[in-house]
């Protein structure tokens, strides 16, 4: 989802360096140096960018919907765990970075979508993603958002991360979450209420080349993911004028369901046992959210989430 735009930005930057406007590239590098910490200090969102008409068409293409199941008081800070990653993370971007849906359903809350820090090292591209409301997924960045004394901030973290995108096959319900406990510790340290979020339809947007665990392809993908920090799923979908092959995602509806908050009392030094207990409760609530809504979005009764 982000790569094509990032590649264009890198290409434009290289053209500036090699061309007669090289001095603009130098000035931008100075700006980059001075502005380096901004993605970790709340970013620099632009309501103008977040309201571009193109995002309306983007949401309507699938279409993308945000479903509220419970009120979230603006007097608290929240950590929203988004599942699953999918290939595109369309539900997270469409609902938390564009359009009025979140603001209308949860007035007084400001969402911050945390993504891998590597993206903020890309010239020009970093300005674009910060304008959309994205910030770094580093510990410092999450702490900054959740430290707002007056409440009203919502950190949105795709818990499964890049690794989970390798499981993004149509019909897959496998989540990489059993070993992901850093977000639990962060919620405890800041007293941020936990909110499970499940995006139905996220894995249906693309078909991915078969890569079962243990296969040579999966082994290569996992090694590359450890080296580069992001995964490389081999996927395809439809074309512009035909539906048999291409990189344009299928038109499959996405329903992002925001669950009820799990109250969390601030604990600056949580023990391993306390982290484990809250993690188990979070998984329980996530599974409950899925089971309560799966029938509404075409999931067979016998299907359940698989935690890895």
């Amino acid at each position: 989802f982000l790569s094509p735009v990032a590649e264009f930005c890198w290409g434009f930057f290289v053209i500036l360096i090699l061309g007669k406007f090289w001095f603009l590239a130098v000035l931008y590098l100075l700006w980059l140096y001075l502005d380096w910490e901004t993605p970790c200090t709340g970013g620099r969102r632009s309501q103008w960018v977040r309201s571009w008409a193109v995002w309306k068409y983007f949401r309507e293409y699938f279409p993308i919907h945000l479903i509220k199941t419970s009120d979230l008081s603006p007097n608290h800070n929240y950590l929203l765990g988004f599942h699953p990653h999918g290939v595109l993370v369309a539900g997270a971007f469409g609902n938390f970075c564009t359009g009025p849906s979140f603001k209308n359903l949860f007035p007084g809350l400001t969402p911050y979508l945390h993504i891998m820090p590597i993206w903020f090292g890309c010239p020009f591209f970093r300005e674009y993603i910060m304008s959309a409301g994205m910030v770094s997924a580093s510990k410092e960045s999450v702490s900054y958002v959740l430290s707002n004394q007056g409440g009203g901030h919502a950190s949105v973290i795709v818990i499964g991360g890049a690794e989970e995108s390798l499981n993004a096959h149509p019909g897959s319900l496998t989540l990489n979450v059993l070993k992901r406990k850093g977000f639990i510790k962060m919620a405890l340290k800041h007293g941020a209420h936990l909110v499970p979020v499940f995006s139905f339809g996220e894995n249906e947007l693309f078909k991915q080349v078969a890569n079962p665990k243990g296969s040579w392809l999966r082994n290569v993908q996992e090694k590359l993911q450890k080296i580069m920090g992001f995964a490389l799923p081999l996927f395809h979908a439809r074309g512009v004028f035909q539906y048999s092959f291409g990189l344009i995602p299928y038109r499959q509806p996405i329903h992002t369901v925001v669950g009820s908050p799990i109250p969390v009392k601030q604990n600056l030094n949580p023990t391993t046992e306390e982290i484990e207990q809250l993690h188990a409760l979070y998984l329980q609530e996530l599974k409950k959210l899925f089971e309560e809504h799966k029938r509404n979005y075409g999931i067979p009764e016998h299907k359940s989430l698989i935690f890895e």
Side-chain angles (χ1 to χ4, degrees):
F1 166 57
L2 298 176
S3 297
V5 183
E7 290 170 3
F8 172 82
C9 290
W10 268 115
F12 180 68
F13 185 69
V14 170
I15 290 173
L16 282 181
I17 292 178
L18 300 179
K20 60 182 180 180
F21 296 106
W22 60 268
F23 62 93
L24 293 178
V26 173
L27 288 176
Y28 183 79
L29 285 175
L30 176 60
W31 162 255
L32 198 61
Y33 173 77
L34 297 174
D35 194 57
W36 191 254
E37 295 300 322
T38 301
C40 294
T41 54
R44 187 169 47 247
R45 69 181 54 222
S46 165
Q47 191 55 42
W48 175 67
V49 173
R50 290 166 59 87
S51 301
W52 281 351
V54 66
W55 304 135
K56 176 176 180 291
Y57 297 120
F58 172 78
R59 294 190 303 273
E60 291 178 350
Y61 171 81
F62 297 98
I64 296 174
H65 304 280
L66 185 65
I67 291 88
K68 171 183 175 179
T69 64
S70 177
D71 290 333
L72 298 180
S73 170
N75 297 323
H76 301 291
N77 292 321
Y78 298 88
L79 196 159
L80 278 61
F82 183 91
H83 311 269
H85 183 288
V87 171
L88 193 62
V89 205
F93 180 77
N95 287 311
F96 303 118
C97 294
T98 74
S101 294
F102 188 87
K103 182 179 180 180
N104 292 339
L105 292 176
F106 304 102
L109 282 185
T110 301
Y112 296 81
L113 179 59
H114 296 269
I115 64 174
M116 290 185 298
I118 189 174
W119 294 115
F120 295 97
C122 180
F124 304 115
F125 181 66
R126 68 190 296 274
E127 321 302 335
Y128 158 68
I129 56 179
M130 279 197 288
S131 296
M134 299 184 214
V135 292
S136 173
S138 66
K139 292 180 181 179
E140 296 78 13
S141 177
V142 178
S143 290
Y144 183 91
V145 172
L146 297 181
S147 295
N148 188 45
Q149 295 298 319
H153 282 189
S155 279
V156 183
I157 301 178
V158 184
I159 304 300
E163 182 183 356
E164 192 173 84
S165 67
L166 300 178
N167 290 327
H169 296 272
S172 173
L173 295 172
T174 300
L175 304 181
N176 291 58
V177 68
L178 290 181
K179 297 180 180 179
R180 310 273 175 156
K181 299 174 184 176
F183 74 103
I184 297 292
K185 187 175 182 179
M186 195 64 68
L188 282 165
K189 283 190 171 183
H190 294 281
H193 295 351
L194 282 166
V195 182
V197 178
F198 195 87
S199 195
F200 291 90
E202 200 75 44
N203 284 339
E204 318 306 315
L205 306 186
F206 295 93
K207 292 179 181 178
Q208 190 172 166
V209 175
N211 60 342
K213 288 202 170 184
S215 65
W216 70 269
L217 176 58
R218 186 60 168 256
N219 290 336
V220 170
Q221 288 176 319
E222 290 176 346
K223 287 180 180 178
L224 288 175
Q225 190 264 325
K226 290 179 180 179
I227 295 172
M228 299 184 298
F230 56 90
L232 292 173
L234 299 179
F235 59 89
H236 64 89
R238 54 163 291 186
V240 178
F241 301 111
Q242 44 79 27
Y243 291 84
S244 57
F245 189 82
L247 295 179
I248 297 176
Y250 293 116
R251 297 192 70 175
Q252 296 290 337
I254 298 172
H255 295 87
T256 303
V257 184
V258 180
S260 300
I262 303 170
V264 178
K265 186 177 180 180
Q266 187 174 24
N267 183 348
L268 296 177
N269 296 292
T271 64
T272 300
E273 183 180 1
E274 290 169 331
I275 293 173
E276 292 285 352
Q277 288 178 348
L278 184 55
H279 186 258
L281 176 59
Y282 176 84
L283 295 184
Q284 178 182 322
E285 290 300 312
L286 174 59
K287 185 173 183 179
K288 178 182 176 183
L289 176 71
F290 173 81
E291 292 295 332
E292 288 179 349
H293 295 273
K294 67 180 184 181
R295 300 170 191 81
N296 299 330
Y297 307 114
I299 307 295
E301 184 65 32
H302 66 280
K303 290 271 192 175
S304 296
L305 293 179
I306 299 172
F307 297 145
E308 288 187 348

